[in-house]
Amino acid sequence: MAGASLAAALAGEARVLLVEAEDVPGYHATGRSAAFWTESYGGPGVQPLTTASGPFLRENGFLGSRAALTIGRAGQEDQVRTFAERFASLGVQVELLHRPALLDHVPGLHEDWTLGALEPSCCDIDVGALHQHYLAALRSGGADLRCRMRLENASCDDKGWLLRFANGDEVRSDILVDAAGAWADEVAGIAGISRVGIAPLRRTIVQLRTAPEAPADLPLVLDVAEKFYFKPEAGRLWLSPHDETPSAACDVAADEIDVATAIDRLERVVDWRIEAVEHRWAGLRSFAPDRLPVYGFAPGNERFFWFAGQGGFGIQTAPAAAELAARLILGRDPGKVDPQPYSPGRFQSS
């Protein structure tokens, strides 16, 4: 999603080549998303990008109503209130719900869950449609997409980059954009650019058949302590244990212990019976050390542009992030969102 969205934003303004190492674009994190847009997800530092992306996603039909409900047990009420106050102060609509209202939203909720923060603005995202939109837009704007092109060598001189790929192809480029997700630091290393410490973390999703069936109007339910989240999907339940297991950049798969952990945590939340584990998968969420994305030219190098470290919020922030990055690459005013918090220069030693 990162590469496709930025290539679409630049197409028509510059000659753009989007290079994909896999057989098809969107094979890794984009194709494994839990597919929601909620303004609190990723924290206050990410919220401006999420909020700024909302109008584009909504106006183009990529969002469907859902709502999000962040819940806490007895003893965690202060955490829920702090969560609600923090995001309300940023302009996010948040409503505190006590036990009777929680049951209206989550039937079968165990009695020790006592307080929740409801975000009515949360939506499902049609990730596939959004990704295809960007792929179509980049092509219509004159950009080129080439798959099965794994970068092996990158050298830069006063004429720009010479990029060599595993299939033997060579490409010359004025600017190299690193939108490689979990492989972002690896690409930087190949290019001789100082790495910023982007770490891939595994996140697991399990699809369950439950009795009763997950209600279609169930909100996205999240734990204030970040131990789980779940949402309905076509009569089934998508559940995550909110795991963040360090991993090498690879084609990651779900681990059985994480599947078991997810189920155990769900059983502590609702009294539904789990009838079957129908599907399980995992994706890599890549984070910079401060868990904010990295957008901008590498310090001292106006030919290498970071567009990485999107964590688990790269899809819900894609429109605003792509617009911000395109403006920076083209030397324009950054627009609605302040780029400073995301600058790669923040990792330089003082």
Side-chain angles (χ1 to χ4, degrees):
M1 189 68 75
S5 60
L6 182 51
L10 289 168
E13 302 278 358
R15 291 187 62 197
V16 179
L17 171 63
L18 176 59
V19 175
E20 168 60 60
E22 302 295 348
D23 292 345
V24 294
Y27 177 76
H28 291 285
T30 296
R32 309 178 194 198
S33 168
F36 56 78
W37 177 93
T38 188
E39 291 171 281
S40 64
Y41 198 68
V46 174
Q47 176 268 329
L49 291 163
T50 305
T51 300
S53 295
F56 174 91
L57 294 170
R58 191 172 293 107
E59 290 162 12
N60 287 280
F62 299 120
L63 297 183
S65 297
R66 172 58 54 204
L69 181 61
T70 299
I71 60 175
R73 298 176 183 271
Q76 294 179 319
E77 290 91 349
D78 285 349
Q79 290 175 251
V80 176
R81 291 190 181 96
T82 298
F83 169 91
E85 290 168 2
R86 179 186 300 125
F87 287 99
S89 71
L90 297 172
V92 178
Q93 184 183 355
V94 187
E95 177 187 355
L96 283 175
L97 301 182
H98 294 274
R99 173 75 189 172
L102 291 183
L103 282 171
D104 289 340
H105 289 280
V106 189
L109 185 69
H110 289 321
E111 63 182 12
D112 53 337
W113 296 93
T114 57
L115 190 65
L118 181 71
E119 295 172 71
S121 63
C122 172
C123 293
D124 292 332
I125 303 179
D126 188 336
V127 176
L130 179 62
H131 191 221
Q132 289 302 314
H133 166 84
Y134 283 132
L135 293 175
L138 71 90
R139 290 188 182 104
S140 66
D144 189 17
L145 167 64
R146 299 184 198 172
C147 295
R148 296 177 291 278
M149 294 267 287
R150 185 173 295 278
L151 184 67
E152 282 200 337
N153 182 267
S155 57
C156 189
D157 57 25
D158 57 2
K159 296 180 181 179
W161 292 97
L162 176 60
L163 309 176
R164 294 187 174 91
F165 297 88
N167 65 355
D169 286 358
E170 293 187 354
V171 172
R172 280 221 169 258
S173 174
D174 290 330
I175 294 173
L176 174 59
V177 175
D178 186 352
W183 286 261
D185 260 11
E186 180 180 327
V187 167
I190 291 172
I193 301 297
S194 295
R195 303 179 184 218
V196 297
I198 291 177
L201 303 176
R202 187 178 72 228
R203 172 60 54 87
T204 305
I205 303 287
V206 185
Q207 179 173 300
L208 303 175
R209 187 174 78 247
T210 63
E213 183 178 284
D217 62 351
L218 183 76
L220 166 68
V221 180
L222 307 101
D223 176 28
V224 73
E226 299 187 345
K227 298 295 185 183
F228 63 79
Y229 56 79
F230 55 85
K231 58 174 278 193
E233 184 68 25
R236 301 297 188 255
L237 192 75
W238 281 9
L239 165 69
S240 173
H242 212 285
D243 49 327
E244 291 191 343
T245 306
S247 172
C250 64
D251 186 0
V252 71
D255 190 290
E256 287 301 322
I257 189 65
D258 295 322
V259 173
T261 297
I263 292 170
D264 177 69
R265 291 177 180 175
L266 179 68
E267 290 174 337
R268 298 169 188 266
V269 180
V270 290
D271 62 7
W272 309 343
R273 186 175 70 255
I274 296 168
E275 296 191 325
V277 177
E278 295 187 333
H279 189 36
R280 66 202 76 190
W281 67 96
L284 292 178
R285 300 146 44 89
S286 47
F287 287 95
D290 61 2
R291 299 180 72 88
L292 291 180
V294 186
Y295 301 147
F297 287 103
N301 191 323
E302 292 293 306
R303 292 190 181 275
F304 186 95
F305 191 92
W306 286 96
F307 194 58
Q310 289 96 337
F313 39 81
I315 292 171
Q316 70 172 31
T317 61
E323 180 183 359
L324 173 64
R327 286 175 172 270
L328 294 176
I329 289 169
L330 296 170
R332 297 176 181 168
D333 179 275
K336 303 172 187 175
V337 179
D338 179 9
Q340 194 57 41
Y342 317 119
S343 169
R346 70 189 191 269
F347 299 110
Q348 282 188 308
S349 300
S350 56

